[in-house]
Amino acid sequence: MKTGIIGLPQVGKSSLFRILTKAQLSEHAFANPREAHVGVAKVPDDRLDRLAALYKPKKLVHASVEYVDVGAIGQDALKESTYIGHLRQVDALAHVVRSFEDPSIPHVGEIDPLRDIKNVEFDLIVSDLGQVEKRLERLEKDLKKMKTAELEREHELLVRAKAYLENEHPLREMQMTPEDKKRIRGFMFLSEKPMLYVLNVSESTELGKELEAAITNYKLTEAAARPNAAATAICGKVEAELSEMSDADAAEFLSSYSLRESGLVRLIRTTYSLMGLISFFTVGEDECRAWTVPVNSRAVEAAGAIHSDLEKHFIRAETIHWDQLLEAGSEANARARGTLRLEGKDYLVRDGDVMHIRHSG
Ligand SMILES: Nc1nc2c(ncn2[C@@H]2O[C@H](COP(=O)(O)OP(=O)(O)OP(=O)(O)O)[C@@H](O)[C@H]2O)c(=O)[nH]1
Ligand SMILES: [Mg+2]
């Protein structure tokens, strides 16, 4: 999974990228504003850590998310093919919105997150609209030469998308059948991508409360409730400090701000739910590992996420929820208690399931 970090100039995009990916990039790497940075973030997961404490595996593998940090967004940037190319490839967008006050860092006008969100949304819409119009022109020429049912369907869909965009609505809110979605997948429209608003707030002593209230205070509740959108607040400054600390120091630091967890954990978790993803685990003395699958995946599909052979030769999945396994203390105990079950191909995997795939192959 790949997430693109976008936003207006100087809002904290690269700072967030560095914290998420712990990238040790030199300042030089960030000197060219048109260059994109790609990095991998480990998905923090307390459940996996606790399972690992039980198994003490040789190898512990968390899930990961790839992040792409591009330069500041704007109509001009979106006309550059490398810039837009980077963004087209991502599965979701994280829009960093500035709400921190700092007179030494310039911002376009007053601090106004909702206005910034609308402006960036507008840029995405304009970019998609240009693409739709270009394709429609071509399609209409082709349709004059030869009518096929598929071309007509695409035409109808793009006419609808055009009207939608012209009314300043992003495509992520447009109702589409799965077939329609497939039909326009190749365009990789920017306004169609799931959107996470990341509100970057000021440091304060009451940060815990501040973060909780930030989405409401900056009037983002409505924007976050739209289809395929979500919002989360972080304090970039505090996160940067946290990322340099040992776990024990970080825990103490968090509680001094009355925070339960780091903003990054929340951010990544929100991205997962926005994209409809869940985790399941495989455990053992060799390896404990988290796997990512879409919500409502069947056991046989989960097996396929591990290896296509496991999907092909799937027999049963020994399944237990992570907390039941910890409670039992061992698989043998869990089996005796009956909390470790055998599930078939069509079992719908739950977030936090631990699975052993039994296979014939
Ligand atoms: N006060 C404060 N400053 C911040 C925060 N986050 C980032 N900054 C500062 O804002 C400036 C810009 O940060 P970057 O992370 O480079 O922002 P950017 O969005 O990548 O900027 P461009 O790529 O140039 O558009 C830097 O001087 C940061 O130190 C924050 O939460 N609080
Ligand atoms: Mg930057």
Side-chain angles (χ1 to χ4, degrees):
M1 185 177 81
K2 211 168 181 177
T3 300
I5 302 176
I6 60 167
L8 294 172
Q10 299 283 294
V11 293
K13 299 182 292 299
S14 298
S15 307
L16 177 66
F17 172 81
R18 269 184 266 220
I19 308 161
L20 277 167
T21 61
K22 313 243 189 299
Q24 301 295 325
L25 289 167
S26 62
E27 282 305 316
H28 176 76
F30 288 90
N32 180 355
R34 282 285 161 266
E35 209 174 301
H37 314 288
V38 183
V40 175
K42 183 181 97 171
V43 175
D45 196 326
D46 178 51
R47 300 167 301 179
L48 179 62
D49 296 337
R50 289 170 65 183
L51 288 167
L54 183 63
Y55 284 87
K56 307 194 173 50
K58 294 190 193 101
K59 215 166 132 201
L60 173 60
V61 187
H62 285 80
S64 60
V65 187
E66 212 175 315
Y67 282 92
V68 186
D69 172 37
V70 293
I73 203 163
Q75 297 279 351
D76 291 337
L78 285 169
K79 286 194 184 97
E80 286 173 29
S81 57
T82 44
Y83 183 90
I84 201 164
H86 282 301
L87 285 188
R88 287 240 169 88
Q89 283 172 24
V90 303
D91 307 300
L93 296 171
H95 177 186
V96 181
V97 188
R98 174 167 166 177
S99 71
F100 67 83
E101 303 278 351
D102 190 336
S104 69
I105 299 162
H107 190 57
V108 280
E110 295 291 299
I111 299 294
D112 184 349
L114 204 52
R115 176 206 57 203
D116 292 352
I117 284 176
K118 283 185 180 146
N119 287 347
V120 169
E121 188 86 286
F122 186 75
D123 288 345
L124 298 179
I125 287 172
V126 169
S127 165
D128 285 351
L129 191 56
Q131 224 191 334
V132 169
E133 283 170 343
K134 221 168 25 184
R135 176 63 189 155
L136 274 175
E137 224 170 86
R138 179 85 247 185
L139 263 180
E140 275 155 21
K141 267 190 207 146
D142 289 352
L143 277 169
K144 271 188 200 137
K145 278 187 236 149
M146 190 183 61
K147 275 196 189 347
T148 71
E150 179 48 36
L151 283 185
E152 281 184 333
R153 252 179 246 128
E154 187 188 345
H155 185 262
E156 197 181 309
L157 176 61
L158 288 181
V159 166
R160 190 154 70 90
K162 180 167 179 265
Y164 207 76
L165 291 164
E166 279 170 345
N167 284 318
E168 295 183 25
H169 294 304
L171 295 177
R172 81 181 82 89
E173 293 175 15
M174 189 167 105
Q175 292 246 352
M176 275 187 268
T177 62
E179 292 76 39
D180 283 348
K181 279 220 162 89
K182 242 188 223 160
R183 212 161 263 135
I184 64 164
R185 192 156 61 193
F187 294 105
M188 302 177 164
F189 289 123
L190 300 181
S191 78
E192 195 194 349
K193 298 183 188 295
M195 173 70 87
L196 174 66
Y197 302 112
V198 182
L199 196 62
N200 192 3
V201 308
S202 295
E203 206 176 349
S204 81
T205 45
E206 296 275 312
L207 193 57
K209 277 188 201 142
E210 192 96 352
L211 287 174
E212 245 167 62
I215 303 296
T216 323
N217 288 350
Y218 288 100
K219 305 188 175 64
L220 301 192
T221 317
E222 203 262 338
R226 295 246 185 85
N228 297 311
T232 188
I234 59 154
C235 174
K237 259 224 161 113
V238 167
E239 295 296 334
E241 287 172 46
L242 269 172
S243 70
E244 315 254 294
M245 292 178 194
S246 69
D247 287 354
D249 288 350
E252 194 175 315
F253 187 75
L254 281 172
S255 73
S256 76
Y257 277 108
S258 47
L259 291 169
R260 269 189 306 115
E261 57 187 1
S262 102
L264 295 187
V265 175
R266 233 171 335 104
L267 190 156
I268 294 179
R269 204 170 47 222
T270 315
T271 310
Y272 261 62
S273 70
L274 172 65
M275 304 200 51
L277 298 172
I278 56 169
S279 305
F280 74 93
F281 309 112
T282 50
V283 294
E285 273 144 32
D286 283 330
E287 183 186 85
C288 287
R289 181 165 182 162
W291 303 86
T292 305
V293 287
V295 67
N296 289 330
S297 291
R298 298 181 302 136
V300 66
E301 292 162 333
I306 301 173
H307 200 288
S308 54
D309 282 351
L310 293 188
E311 182 166 4
K312 225 185 293 166
H313 304 295
F314 182 97
I315 301 175
R316 286 267 187 284
E318 282 181 50
T319 308
I320 181 168
H321 206 247
W322 72 278
D323 50 359
Q324 289 176 322
L325 177 54
L326 284 181
E327 215 175 274
S330 75
E331 284 163 49
N333 284 349
R335 198 170 285 120
R337 290 180 182 191
T339 47
L340 184 72
R341 319 157 326 255
L342 277 179
E343 298 286 1
K345 276 187 174 172
D346 292 332
Y347 168 72
L348 293 183
V349 179
R350 283 170 64 200
D351 188 38
D353 273 347
V354 177
M355 301 181 107
H356 277 300
I357 310 296
R358 285 199 195 160
H359 58 99
S360 62

